């Protein structure tokens, strides 16, 4: 995997690893590699019908933590470090692709400020078959982006309008219950159903 992230073709790449200080065991890793895109589609899979401009973007991939090292903030530390590296390369954004079925990863990335901006129904991928062999497959994926700019500009770029609208709609439902004379029990029930 380290070889995959070495610089090639003049584009940047890196693999970051956290090791246990006593044993040397790998506790977590993450990689990033600059790739060329047309819109939100990697250049190598874009066709004549693909919309958007050609641009180079750092793609964060292969975030993993050892089972015994989970829930200790290592994934957040790795993501912060790789995002800093992307900034050092001169990029103001980072993107990643995650399997749509990976709800834990999607939740983590949303908490870190990434928002979904697209996806593919059949992204080429490798899977382990029932016989234990690595085979080519396709998976449904979500394409996520985060602005790495600081301050208000970055915060606005990373604002998840859908989530904000959900909160506003939930608050509106609760307000309607209050104005209709509902008590605390009605408000709690409306709040629970709205979210």
């Amino acid at each position: 995997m380290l070889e995959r992230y070495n610089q090639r073709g003049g584009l940047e790449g890196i693999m970051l690893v956290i090791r246990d200080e006593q044993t040397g065991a790998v506790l977590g890793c993450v990689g990033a590699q600059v790739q060329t895109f047309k819109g939100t589609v990697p250049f190598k899979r874009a066709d004549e019908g693909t919309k958007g401009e050609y641009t180079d973007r750092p793609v964060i991939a292969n975030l993993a933590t050892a089972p015994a090292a989970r829930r200790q903030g290592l994934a957040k530390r790795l993501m912060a470090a790789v995002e800093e590296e992307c900034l050092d390369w001169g990029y103001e954004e980072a993107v990643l692709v995650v399997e749509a079925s990976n709800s834990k990863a999607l939740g983590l990335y949303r908490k870190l400020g990434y928002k979904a901006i697209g996806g593919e129904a059949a992204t080429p991928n490798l899977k382990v078959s029932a016989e234990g062999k690595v085979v080519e497959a396709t998976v449904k994926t979500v394409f996520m982006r985060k602005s790495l700019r600081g301050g208000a500009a970055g915060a606005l770029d990373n604002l998840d309008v859908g989530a904000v609208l959900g909160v506003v709609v939930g608050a509106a439902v609760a307000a309607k219950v209050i104005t209709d004379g509902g008590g605390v029990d009605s408000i709690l029930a409306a709040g629970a159903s709205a979210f």
Side-chain angles (χ1 to χ4, degrees), residues 125-137:
N125 198 7
L126 297 176
K127 290 282 190 181
V128 178
S129 72
E131 297 81 34
K133 296 181 179 181
V134 176
V135 296
E136 292 185 15

Side-chain angles (χ1 to χ4, degrees), residues 23-178:
T23 67
V26 173
L27 301 177
C29 65
V30 67
Q33 182 179 41
V34 176
Q35 297 179 18
T36 302
F37 284 78
K38 184 172 183 186
T40 60
V41 178
F43 173 73
K44 60 187 171 191
R45 290 201 316 273
D47 59 27
E48 295 161 4
T50 305
K51 296 180 180 164
E53 299 291 321
Y54 288 99
T55 187
D56 290 337
R57 292 187 168 114
V59 179
I60 297 173
N62 297 313
L63 175 65
T65 54
R70 293 189 181 144
R71 314 267 331 138
Q72 297 175 29
L74 294 181
K76 289 179 185 177
R77 286 179 38 208
L78 285 163
M79 289 297 290
V82 78
E83 289 169 0
E84 189 64 36
E85 192 69 30
C86 294
L87 279 168
D88 289 348
W89 293 340
Y91 294 94
E92 292 186 335
E93 70 172 352
V95 297
L96 54 84
V97 179
V98 61
E99 288 187 30
S101 63
N102 191 342
S103 60
K104 287 184 180 182
L106 285 166
L108 171 67
Y109 296 136
R110 284 188 185 110
K111 285 180 187 174
L112 295 177
Y114 287 81
K115 64 180 178 181
I117 61 168
E120 291 182 300
T123 303
N125 198 7
L126 297 176
K127 290 282 190 181
V128 178
S129 72
E131 297 81 34
K133 296 181 179 181
V134 176
V135 296
E136 292 185 15
T138 59
V139 295
K140 183 176 180 180
T141 57
V142 177
F143 188 75
M144 302 182 88
R145 177 193 176 275
K146 178 180 179 180
S147 172
L148 301 177
R149 298 187 301 165
L156 285 173
D157 281 349
N158 295 330
L159 185 64
D160 186 343
V161 176
V164 171
L165 288 176
V167 170
V168 170
V169 168
V173 169
K176 173 87 171 110
V177 170
I178 291 170

